[in-house]
Amino acid sequence: HPLQTTTTTNYSTQFKMSINLYPDEIHSALLGDPEYTPEIDDACETIHEATKGFGTDERALIDTLGSKNTIERYLISFRLEKYGKELKELMKSENSGNFGFLTQLLSLPAPEADAKIIRKATKGLGTNEELLWSVILGRSNEEIRILKKVYYQRYNKDLISLVSSELSGDLKKLHLACLQGMEETYDPSYHNASKAEEDAVEFYKKGQGKWGTDEKALFHTLCKSPPQYLKMMDDAYVAKYNVNLEKALEKELRGKVKKAAIFTVGMKLHPYETIAEHIKSTCAGMGTDELGLSCAILRYQHILPRVMIAHVNLFSKSIGERVADETRGDYKNLLLEMIRVAWPGAP
């Protein structure tokens, strides 16, 4: 992977902090008493007409709900109350299957949709670990705080307690480290080349240079290091040990935690490429992971244009082409509409 072997020392374009996946309006946590534009009222009227009586007009839902961005869907969910309806309950009662679950996610504000995905990953027998870590790992401090707050409000359960009961071993250690929201604010006077070299040596001592890996120490370092500094550490590690941090983790870890840890590093060092690879992974092997694909397109819709560019560069294929190849029917049409809305002028 070319992005895993770069050793450039130009850090000016590297993210100083982990990227946010939610729009700024979500971070403000306040819509106040918003003004509803005629377009929002028209959308509510269309949804009302599409779901009243016997049967559902799926095409109308795709054209209306799928064509709106995160904030517009948020406003629609509030405005529909004039009909005495709650959008999420309406979608649950009217639709089913992959299409139905995606419309349920679309009916929720982004943090509540993430909370619902976490609930889906942990409900019933067994845990969908990959679905769980795709939501939690690699998030900014602020979005970790939002996730914990929203999950507790919605399900009356502490997210850290939930993860502790659902996971075990090294995978549990990694999730708990990420849920601390411990990423340091980048400070060039503190996060300098000298410290990066020291921490690279320490990372080696806790991993490749140790008989018996200290996974907890490695995860702590990954979670607390801001992206620009982690890139400096990565370059120092390559210079000293001839492999980068991702390759070092590959050698030291096994199974799902290896994949999860590399995802965490990727979300800091090259997030758009990492997300593109994650979307591709939901379509790999025998059969498509429709649940994982739905959750990924929804979660990353706000930053999808950059992910789409990365996907084409990596795989010479657009995300839209991949979705069209892997899915069918109303479900495919809804996903394609979400992709079109994310980048209307996409090639």
Side-chain angles (χ1 to χ4, degrees):
H1 194 302
L3 290 165
Q4 295 176 342
T5 57
T6 178
T7 56
T8 178
T9 56
N10 179 11
Y11 304 109
S12 60
T13 59
Q14 187 70 44
F15 297 104
K16 289 183 169 59
M17 300 295 289
S18 290
I19 63 170
N20 288 325
L21 304 182
Y22 301 147
D24 291 340
E25 292 87 342
I26 296 294
H27 284 266
S28 72
L30 288 172
L31 280 174
D33 186 15
E35 293 184 11
Y36 296 100
T37 63
E39 289 77 13
I40 297 298
D41 282 334
D42 289 346
C44 290
E45 183 64 30
T46 301
I47 292 169
H48 173 66
E49 291 295 324
T51 55
K52 75 177 185 179
F54 183 76
T56 303
D57 186 345
E58 287 86 0
R59 184 69 251 180
L61 290 181
I62 292 168
D63 291 342
T64 306
L65 198 55
S67 67
K68 300 296 182 287
N69 63 34
T70 305
I71 298 304
E72 289 169 334
R73 294 197 303 269
Y74 200 178
L75 291 171
I76 289 170
S77 69
F78 278 101
R79 191 60 162 168
L80 262 179
E81 292 176 4
K82 74 176 183 179
Y83 295 103
K85 297 180 177 180
E86 192 172 9
L87 184 57
K88 59 186 177 183
E89 294 302 324
L90 189 62
M91 294 302 100
K92 187 175 182 179
S93 65
E94 293 288 334
N95 305 306
S96 60
N98 295 316
F99 177 79
F101 186 70
L102 184 52
T103 62
Q104 290 177 49
L105 294 179
L106 284 166
S107 72
L108 297 168
E112 287 191 36
D114 271 345
K116 186 175 181 66
I117 294 167
I118 292 172
R119 176 76 167 175
K120 182 83 169 176
T122 56
K123 193 175 180 181
L125 288 174
T127 302
N128 187 332
E129 291 103 338
E130 186 158 346
L131 188 60
L132 186 61
W133 59 248
S134 71
V135 180
I136 293 174
L137 305 184
R139 302 299 287 265
S140 67
N141 290 349
E142 187 173 357
E143 290 190 350
I144 285 293
R145 287 194 293 271
I146 291 171
L147 263 178
K148 290 194 288 189
K149 179 179 179 181
V150 169
Y151 193 87
Y152 185 81
Q153 289 174 337
R154 187 167 175 80
Y155 299 109
N156 197 32
K157 188 172 182 68
D158 178 69
L159 189 52
I160 291 177
S161 298
L162 174 75
V163 167
S164 295
S165 65
E166 293 289 332
L167 301 178
S168 61
D170 294 335
L171 196 58
K172 175 179 174 179
K173 292 175 188 174
L174 177 57
H175 279 74
L176 293 181
C178 286
L179 283 171
Q180 298 305 314
M182 65 172 73
E183 185 176 277
E184 297 170 298
T185 300
Y186 179 74
D187 179 355
S189 65
Y190 174 70
H191 297 105
N192 53 42
S194 175
K195 178 173 173 53
E197 187 171 345
E198 290 175 11
D199 283 350
V201 170
E202 191 63 24
F203 197 91
Y204 178 83
K205 288 180 179 177
K206 298 295 184 182
Q208 287 185 281
K210 179 180 172 62
W211 180 260
T213 305
D214 186 348
E215 292 87 357
K216 187 175 181 179
L218 298 185
F219 299 157
H220 186 271
T221 299
L222 295 180
C223 292
K224 77 173 183 179
S225 299
Q228 188 161 331
Y229 178 68
L230 192 64
K231 176 59 182 157
M232 295 167 68
M233 259 187 70
D234 190 53
D235 287 347
Y237 202 93
V238 169
K240 200 163 186 68
Y241 305 111
N242 297 315
V243 294
N244 61 20
L245 295 178
E246 287 171 281
K247 291 295 183 184
L249 290 168
E250 244 180 63
K251 292 172 181 284
E252 292 303 305
L253 303 174
R254 299 289 181 272
K256 292 180 180 177
V257 72
K258 175 173 72 174
K259 191 175 180 182
I262 291 172
F263 177 84
T264 304
V265 174
M267 284 298 289
K268 294 199 176 202
L269 296 186
H270 37 85
Y272 305 123
E273 291 80 5
T274 298
I275 293 167
E277 289 174 336
H278 173 64
I279 289 172
K280 179 181 182 292
S281 75
T282 66
C283 303
M286 294 292 291
T288 302
D289 175 10
E290 288 89 355
L291 177 59
L293 180 61
S294 296
C295 296
I297 298 298
L298 179 91
R299 183 180 318 108
Y300 303 124
Q301 190 183 26
H302 181 58
I303 58 170
L304 205 56
R306 293 186 181 185
V307 177
M308 290 163 75
I309 293 171
H311 191 281
V312 170
N313 289 340
L314 288 170
F315 309 116
S316 301
K317 185 176 187 176
S318 73
I319 293 176
E321 289 170 333
R322 189 176 296 284
V323 166
D325 289 344
E326 297 288 336
T327 59
R328 299 291 180 271
D330 292 328
Y331 173 60
K332 176 182 78 172
N333 293 333
L334 181 53
L335 284 173
L336 290 176
E337 184 65 11
M338 291 170 65
I339 293 167
R340 186 197 66 78
V341 168
W343 191 3

